[in-house]
Amino acid sequence: MAGSTYNGALNSGKGGVDEMASFQCRLSDGERVTCTISHVVTDHQTHLMLDPQTSGLSHHAAELMSFETLAFTWSSFPGFALLVASDGSWPEEEAATRKEGWSPGFAPLAVIAMSEGKYALKPYGAPCFLTAENGTGRIHHDRSVIADWELFRFDSEEPAKTSLIGDFASSFAELLRHLSEPSVLLSALLSMPPSFQPSLLELLCEMLTPSALAELASIFVTDFEATSGSTSHRCERLLAALPQGSWLRDGFRRLHEWRTGQSFSIQRAGAQYDFLGFQENTKKGSAYCVGARLLSEARRTIKPTKTLALLATARDEGVYLLEWIAHHRRIGVEQFFIYTNDLTDGSDLLLRRLAEAGEIVWINNSGASPVKINMQDKAYNHALMVLPEILDYRWCLVVDLDEMVLPDASVDYCLPPLLAAREREGAEAVAMSWRVYTSNGHLAWAPGLSAARFVETESHPLIKTAFRTHLFSGASAHHPTSRERAVVPYMTIDGESQKTGNLSDHDVNFAARPTSNASVCHYHVRSLEEYVWKFARGENDNSGVLKTKHFRYNNPGIFELFTSRFDTGGVQPGLVLAEDINRETRRLLRLPGVAEASKEVAQRFRTQVGAFVEQSAQIMKQDDRIALDVRERWCALVDEWRHLSRPD
């Protein structure tokens, strides 16, 4: 490993680089590099401080610093400084820096020499300068031009005589030397103390050029069962140093298997992936996502060979499955990735038969179901962070089993031409607005197309989105998500800008006006039976998985919503595809075991749904938040349903 030779402070004066405390680092090939350690001082005579927990920058008087923050510079890499923040006591014992042991915080800076020994600073790779606001301690990152009072200087700091500081300075000099050689860079990173490796990996992912980062990521798409001492063994060592590296290892392993021709139509996302159901675990800065940038980059290198996949979650929605698949096949969907959990309606057998026939990829999403898990989030994040098969599709459409996308007649009701047009204009995500459908007077479920049974009553500002699959690491129910980028090129299907394209802004869930070239038929309010069945499955409201099914709701307004729209009239635009959908449904029913499994789903629905309708009627006697007229109307509908169900 590279070493260091301490020469102590060259000069204790205040001023330019030549006067700062320095020592010699010896690299692996014998070359010597000068490392300089200093404090960064603002024009207000305060010191720049890095918070190692939040990576935030501030500035304070020297005696008020919460963390010692030193700037390391190397003669071999001019124009660069590394801020290193710690409690000021670098340990001597090697054991202190084992996995999850002692580690400082790191932040890279670009250094631009100005006049009179002063420097302008930028976050490394960012376009804007740092500015220290006088009297507040704040550091701003948004200045495109600078004044003299916004410059900084480096004051010498004689390095502590610890082997760890010297070894770190030498090893980091090796990293800087090999930024364009990812295979050598991996070895240099592994020469660092294990507790330093997670933070330094994150830092390198920010510093590397896109091509170098992609090359580094590709190294990890490997056979981890290869012999000791190989590249795969070194990759495994680095992943083992990460706080939650096991799932990343699985993600890289799956990519390797898929590239070598292994693909599975029936899969499982078990309890080990439940962490993906908590959004705080999938955001940048989470321990679970240390190193996730590498996996995302490796997934981005996949070149899709097909156009459009559909990603969905479902629970006990088997009665709609064949129609839903047939409809979306007609509009251009080539493959379906369907996540389900805790099924009770028999649709697990139907899904299995469809998957065995190659019609879908079915992922059993059942896990330990911890409190407040969001099963949709778990599924979407698993698909876009772990599942390799979905990467073979250029576009990913996320819709639920009560939603059907309906493109315009001008494109023969096909979605891919519209997506291609928006992609030519630079879009990476494309939004389509909801059209809400209601009961049309139906009390009970019956076989038949939703497009023929229900009616459109209104447009709605909520949207659903299709997006470039490999460019995003997750999704919500309405738009994709990304750890790396907050703002993306986002259009409506009509070619208008979709809000600001800021994925962190809740407003992006809504369209400014209803889209025309395609919309989403949202069958939120079907018949009375189906509406009750929907809430007996459990709402995906972060209350956890409803293990024992019963009629559960959070908002008593659901009763008013149904009763006020029960017999509202409207149009049925989806009927235009009825012949095509029925033909495709008949084909699906001819597949081995599909017809029998579909009959079992229908029978289970009929057997179970009555108890839930009766539960809803009993609730009317208990929930005084429900208006009296709504209670009366709901109970009257239940009475009609009873008569329909038991005419004798």
Side-chain angles (χ1 to χ4, degrees):
M1 185 172 77
S4 60
T5 303
Y6 290 100
N7 292 331
L10 299 182
N11 191 302
S12 60
K14 311 296 184 183
V17 171
D18 292 339
E19 298 179 316
M20 285 183 256
S22 305
F23 59 93
Q24 293 291 311
C25 300
R26 187 179 67 254
L27 304 188
S28 56
D29 62 358
E31 180 183 348
R32 293 184 180 274
V33 171
T34 300
C35 176
T36 302
I37 299 180
S38 57
H39 287 132
V40 181
V41 181
T42 73
D43 189 68
H44 317 300
Q45 305 307 309
T46 54
H47 285 200
L48 194 62
M49 187 182 80
L50 171 68
D51 186 325
Q53 278 76 49
T54 67
S55 298
L57 289 175
S58 56
H59 65 104
H60 308 276
E63 64 275 13
L64 299 178
M65 297 277 283
S66 301
F67 303 100
E68 179 183 71
T69 302
L70 302 174
F72 284 62
T73 58
W74 291 265
S75 59
S76 56
F77 207 72
F80 174 84
L82 181 69
L83 295 182
V84 181
S86 72
D87 58 7
S89 56
W90 288 58
E92 286 285 1
E93 298 78 11
E94 183 178 342
T97 58
R98 290 174 183 166
K99 181 180 179 181
E100 299 182 358
W102 186 91
S103 178
F106 305 103
L109 297 177
V111 180
I112 301 97
M114 306 298 282
S115 59
E116 300 177 353
K118 295 182 179 181
Y119 301 85
L121 303 179
K122 295 181 177 182
Y124 192 80
C128 294
F129 295 96
L130 298 182
T131 300
E133 184 176 279
N134 190 22
T136 67
R138 296 192 187 99
I139 295 290
H140 299 286
H141 306 70
D142 58 355
R143 292 284 288 181
S144 58
V145 296
I146 52 173
D148 287 345
W149 61 269
E150 293 171 313
L151 299 177
F152 300 81
R153 57 186 175 82
F154 292 87
D155 275 6
S156 63
E157 174 70 19
E158 184 170 348
K161 304 302 190 289
T162 69
S163 59
L164 183 56
I165 283 185
D167 289 345
F168 166 75
S170 297
S171 295
F172 200 88
E174 292 279 4
L175 289 178
L176 293 174
R177 167 181 280 189
H178 298 295
L179 288 179
S180 60
E181 303 172 80
S183 59
V184 183
L185 189 63
L186 176 59
S187 297
L189 185 56
L190 286 170
S191 72
M192 291 287 188
S195 62
F196 286 30
Q197 291 171 20
S199 296
L200 291 174
L201 176 60
E202 292 290 277
L203 181 145
L204 287 173
C205 286
E206 297 294 333
M207 291 181 59
L208 292 176
T209 63
S211 60
L213 182 57
E215 185 178 347
L216 177 63
S218 68
I219 295 173
F220 286 77
V221 184
T222 184
D223 178 7
F224 288 106
E225 305 305 320
T227 58
S228 177
S230 65
T231 298
S232 61
H233 180 64
R234 286 184 287 142
C235 291
E236 188 154 35
R237 280 180 55 201
L238 181 59
L239 293 175
L242 305 182
Q244 301 290 340
S246 60
W247 78 269
L248 295 171
R249 183 187 186 278
D250 286 346
F252 284 116
R253 175 184 58 81
R254 291 294 318 282
L255 269 180
H256 170 75
E257 292 173 346
W258 183 68
R259 279 182 164 176
T260 57
Q262 299 182 57
S263 184
F264 306 94
S265 61
I266 299 175
Q267 303 187 32
R268 182 173 179 81
Q272 73 271 30
Y273 290 110
D274 279 353
F275 75 92
L276 292 169
F278 300 91
Q279 281 298 334
E280 61 269 22
N281 292 336
T282 59
K283 293 179 179 178
K284 186 176 181 180
S286 162
Y288 284 94
C289 281
V290 175
R293 177 73 180 274
L294 273 186
L295 181 56
S296 294
E297 291 296 330
R299 291 172 66 85
R300 288 191 183 102
T301 64
I302 301 298
K303 304 299 182 186
T305 64
K306 304 177 182 69
T307 301
L308 181 59
L310 193 156
L311 172 62
T313 61
R315 186 185 184 195
D316 290 353
E317 296 175 87
V319 291
Y320 311 116
L321 192 57
L322 297 184
E323 174 196 2
W324 182 83
I325 291 173
H327 175 98
H328 287 102
R329 281 250 187 261
R330 169 60 182 84
I331 71 161
V333 172
E334 296 159 278
Q335 186 57 287
F336 300 82
F337 295 87
I338 303 175
Y339 284 74
T340 65
N341 66 282
D342 305 281
L343 298 173
T344 67
D345 71 339
S347 55
D348 48 349
L349 180 58
L350 178 56
L351 289 157
R352 180 174 294 277
R353 295 293 177 257
L354 291 167
E356 289 170 346
E359 297 292 331
I360 67 169
V361 176
W362 173 39
I363 304 95
N364 185 342
N365 196 30
S366 301
S369 304
V371 175
K372 296 188 177 181
I373 189 173
N374 187 302
M375 298 304 290
Q376 274 192 321
D377 288 345
K378 178 190 173 186
Y380 299 152
N381 289 322
H382 181 271
L384 296 166
M385 298 169 83
V386 178
L387 193 69
E389 288 86 354
I390 201 169
L391 295 171
D392 203 21
Y393 298 85
R394 190 171 189 83
W395 287 90
C396 177
L397 171 66
V398 174
V399 296
D400 298 329
L401 268 289
D402 62 354
E403 297 168 333
M404 298 186 198
V405 176
L406 185 61
D408 186 64
S410 62
V411 288
D412 189 29
Y413 308 103
C414 290
L415 189 58
L418 294 171
L419 297 177
R422 301 292 81 80
E423 184 178 359
R424 285 192 295 270
E425 297 164 0
E428 295 176 0
V430 177
M432 295 157 279
S433 58
W434 263 0
R435 302 288 178 124
V436 177
Y437 286 66
T438 57
S439 302
N440 195 26
H442 289 279
L443 290 167
W445 172 79
L449 298 184
S450 296
R453 297 172 60 216
F454 308 115
V455 294
E456 178 187 335
T457 55
E458 62 186 90
S459 61
H460 194 285
L462 267 172
I463 53 96
K464 303 296 276 196
T465 304
F467 52 86
R468 292 291 309 283
T469 311
H470 72 305
L471 297 180
F472 297 92
S473 55
S476 70
H478 299 284
H479 62 76
T481 59
S482 172
R483 289 181 306 276
E484 291 80 31
R485 300 179 298 162
V487 179
V488 301
Y490 203 157
M491 289 183 178
T492 71
I493 199 71
D494 297 338
E496 297 179 325
S497 294
Q498 169 58 9
K499 304 296 183 178
T500 62
N502 188 337
L503 300 178
S504 62
D505 184 353
H506 178 71
D507 195 47
V508 80
N509 288 329
F510 303 90
R513 63 173 182 156
T515 54
S516 298
N517 283 269
S519 59
V520 180
C521 307
H522 184 211
Y523 294 99
H524 175 65
V525 181
R526 286 172 163 134
S527 69
L528 176 69
E529 281 187 346
E530 293 163 273
Y531 195 62
V532 167
W533 180 266
K534 176 187 181 77
F535 289 97
R537 295 184 289 114
E539 294 184 88
N540 196 25
D541 55 4
N542 296 315
S543 296
V545 176
L546 187 62
K547 289 291 190 178
T548 303
K549 286 175 64 175
H550 61 273
F551 186 71
R552 184 183 86 181
Y553 61 97
N554 289 327
N555 184 354
I558 67 166
F559 298 99
E560 193 277 334
L561 175 66
F562 185 86
T563 57
S564 65
R565 304 182 184 201
F566 175 69
D567 50 9
T568 302
V571 297
Q572 297 175 306
L575 276 178
V576 69
L577 298 181
E579 183 178 347
D580 293 340
I581 295 170
N582 284 325
R583 184 186 305 111
E584 175 65 7
T585 301
R586 290 193 296 271
R587 183 189 71 81
L588 293 172
L589 285 167
R590 290 193 294 269
L591 297 172
V594 169
E596 294 80 2
S598 183
K599 289 178 182 178
E600 175 64 18
V601 168
Q603 181 57 36
R604 289 204 191 186
F605 179 92
R606 292 188 180 101
T607 301
Q608 297 178 30
V609 73
F612 303 134
V613 176
E614 294 294 352
Q615 285 177 16
S616 74
Q618 290 298 315
I619 284 170
M620 292 299 151
K621 303 174 183 178
Q622 304 166 5
D623 195 338
D624 57 9
R625 296 175 298 170
I626 304 169
L628 180 60
D629 62 326
V630 174
R631 294 185 185 201
E632 292 174 348
R633 178 60 172 150
W634 185 273
C635 290
L637 290 173
V638 172
D639 284 340
E640 289 183 45
W641 167 83
R642 289 178 182 134
H643 179 73
L644 180 69
S645 303
R646 301 185 292 273
D648 54 336

